[in-house]
Amino acid sequence: MILTINCGSSSLKYRLFSEDLAAVIASGLIARIGEAGAYCEHKAQGRQAEIHQPIPDQDAAFDIMADNLMHSEFAVIGDPSEITAIGHRAVHGGDVFVASTLVSDEVMAQLRSCIRFAPLHNPANIAGIEECQKKFPGIPNVVVFDTAFHQTMPPEAHVYALPYELYEKHGVRRYGFHGTSCRYVAQAAADMLSRPIEDLSMVVCHLGNGVTIDAVKGGRSVDTSLGFGTFCGVPMGTRAGEFDPAIIFHLVKEMGMTIEEVEAICYKKSGLLGVSGVSNDMREVEKRAAEGDTRCALALEIFVYHIRKTIGAYAAAMNGLDALVFTAGIGENCATVRSKVCAGLGVLGVQIDEGINGMVRDGHPNISSAEARVATLVVPTDEERMIAIDTVDLLH
Ligand code: ADP
């Protein structure tokens, strides 16, 4: 069996796959670790259990996971040796990791050297690997990076026009995120179209709480909307997306804000929430916009405008566009956003069938109209499965 782990600072997601990845045997989410109201949801054998109890730290969370998998009434593992390998999600691999890799002492040291790029995320990812090494000794661990897929970006896309020493000596460059999702979705889209991914120029729109627009040419990421950090590109739930950095100087020098206050604005108080003043949740923004709330309507228009503009830029960067792919919470579920994004893309050959766009949940992933020159698809993302696929590949 293959176990996948997605360990955040206050959450742990796990999924247990059969060896051939054909079946999900068990899965779980442990949330609010170290906080009041900690809980665990565990699914196995067609049933679901919920546990509410104090979960002080990651160590306790991994104990609960191990207990759920091996000792509870839902136990699906008789002995830890039935786990062949464990795949871990890591947010930032810097420019050290260009692909998923088998964990060794050297890899752990390199991973620690990448903490400076993702101080909020990488420590939790590393802690997750260490927990597994402790609780499942001898079982190989594989680490899969959100940034690795984007390491194929050419220099003109990943080097900022800042003093070159910042890039060369300090790693200041565009890294990009959501790479595991984009890679999975791009391959799934090529499979759906029955075309080799090597022949396709695609734009993948990963639209969740975080948003990545990714240009994928021949199966390789050639440009991506997130950068050194995770608030540039297009607006997101609470993150600003692109804005003039001169505003940061203005907020600090003229308005007397601290850099921490500015950081909170960029990451937590902007995007859909900042403009609407109501919510970072697209469902709420969409509902209120339809009811006539002008700020929610504006938040929605800004969101789709930046996505549309970025798709156009990436079609130019790739000198063509064969497929446009929507994924993640908003991309998979929000017909309004898909419709508004595509409405201005006729010039590129994108044309969707509004009727089919409304029927995606009924199993109609190809929403293009008959005349469209570009295939527009809705593809559910599955980062855990991508991690499991990489884990199996590396074992063999
Ligand atoms: P995360 O980045 O946290 O993994 P998700 O991929 O789960 O995020 O996406 C969360 C977003 O998806 C939220 O903005 C939520 O409102 C939106 N979303 C989920 N379902 C729908 C829906 N039916 N219609 C519109 N938006 C939706």
Side-chain angles (χ1 to χ4, degrees):
M1 286 181 269
I2 305 292
L3 179 64
T4 61
I5 297 288
N6 184 346
C7 189
S9 56
S10 65
S11 69
L12 165 62
K13 278 191 220 161
Y14 57 90
R15 206 190 281 180
L16 188 68
F17 290 88
S18 59
E19 194 70 20
D20 61 1
L21 309 185
V24 173
I25 296 168
S27 64
L29 165 69
I30 304 178
R32 296 179 155 271
I33 297 166
E35 298 170 17
Y39 65 92
C40 166
E41 290 168 359
H42 178 77
K43 286 186 199 161
Q45 301 162 346
R47 290 184 295 163
Q48 179 165 340
E50 233 179 86
I51 307 164
H52 291 264
Q53 66 178 65
I55 306 173
D57 50 28
Q58 289 293 1
D59 195 45
F62 275 85
D63 278 340
I64 291 174
M65 178 192 80
D67 198 49
N68 285 342
L69 293 173
M70 294 193 291
H71 306 298
S72 69
E73 54 168 314
F74 295 95
V76 285
I77 300 176
D79 186 273
S81 64
E82 290 171 34
I83 303 175
T84 328
I86 306 173
H88 298 259
R89 174 190 184 220
V91 168
H92 217 305
D95 47 16
V96 180
F97 295 104
V98 299
S100 304
T101 182
L102 210 53
V103 170
S104 63
D105 291 345
E106 193 191 343
V107 164
M108 288 303 277
Q110 287 171 323
L111 252 175
R112 287 189 195 97
S113 78
C114 295
I115 288 179
R116 66 201 158 114
F117 296 123
L120 295 179
H121 295 103
N122 270 26
N125 305 151
I126 291 168
I129 300 172
E130 288 169 343
E131 285 289 341
C132 286
Q133 289 174 327
K134 201 164 71 186
K135 296 209 161 43
F136 304 105
I139 296 174
N141 289 281
V142 163
V143 59
V144 178
F145 300 91
D146 280 7
T147 49
F149 183 50
H150 305 301
Q151 282 293 309
T152 47
M153 283 187 288
E156 62 271 28
H158 79 250
V159 181
Y160 292 121
L162 289 166
Y164 194 71
E165 304 76 59
L166 288 176
Y167 168 65
E168 212 176 20
K169 298 207 179 91
H170 302 284
V172 174
R173 51 162 287 175
R174 182 185 300 279
Y175 288 102
F177 298 87
H178 297 124
T180 309
S181 167
C182 292
R183 187 157 56 101
Y184 177 81
V185 164
Q187 185 59 57
D191 293 346
M192 272 181 197
L193 295 170
S194 303
R195 291 184 60 185
I197 196 166
E198 292 75 20
D199 295 349
L200 294 171
S201 293
M202 296 190 213
V203 174
V204 175
C205 300
H206 174 109
L207 314 180
N209 276 314
V211 173
T212 280
I213 313 297
D214 195 18
V216 184
K217 191 175 169 81
R220 294 155 71 90
S221 177
V222 293
D223 204 348
T224 192
S225 60
L226 288 178
F228 179 77
T230 54
F231 80 76
C232 68
V234 307
M236 307 169 220
T238 62
R239 294 176 241 165
E242 181 225 48
F243 69 97
D244 183 348
I247 295 168
I248 294 179
F249 311 136
H250 179 78
L251 297 180
V252 173
K253 290 185 178 170
E254 301 300 323
M255 294 179 62
M257 287 188 190
T258 64
I259 205 69
E260 287 75 22
E261 285 170 327
V262 177
E263 197 173 17
I265 286 179
C266 296
Y267 283 98
K268 299 201 170 126
K269 298 181 179 177
S270 298
L272 293 176
L273 175 66
V275 178
S276 72
V278 175
S279 177
N280 63 327
D281 190 314
M282 181 54 88
R283 283 165 290 202
E284 186 69 14
V285 172
E286 185 193 1
K287 179 170 148 281
R288 292 200 186 214
E291 289 165 0
D293 182 318
T294 50
R295 285 208 8 216
C296 285
L298 179 60
L300 185 56
E301 288 306 326
I302 294 174
F303 185 76
V304 297
Y305 174 70
H306 281 263
I307 295 170
R308 193 191 305 133
K309 200 164 77 160
T310 308
I311 294 167
Y314 287 173
M318 294 187 290
N319 192 21
L321 183 65
D322 302 300
L324 176 61
V325 191
F326 289 96
T327 193
I330 300 171
E332 291 167 32
N333 296 301
C334 189
T336 309
V337 165
R338 292 193 300 261
S339 170
K340 281 178 175 287
V341 167
C342 294
L345 293 175
V347 65
L348 299 179
V350 173
Q351 223 174 324
I352 65 169
D353 182 313
E354 289 296 347
I356 301 176
N357 186 34
M359 299 195 305
V360 166
R361 280 201 211 95
D362 307 323
H364 295 279
N366 190 332
I367 61 172
S368 331
S369 69
E371 308 79 50
R373 282 181 280 121
V374 171
T376 301
L377 304 173
V378 182
V379 180
T381 190
D382 194 342
E383 286 163 299
E384 269 71 24
R385 182 165 292 278
M386 191 74 251
I387 292 170
I389 291 169
D390 278 4
T391 303
V392 171
D393 283 354
L394 273 167
L395 278 187
H396 300 300

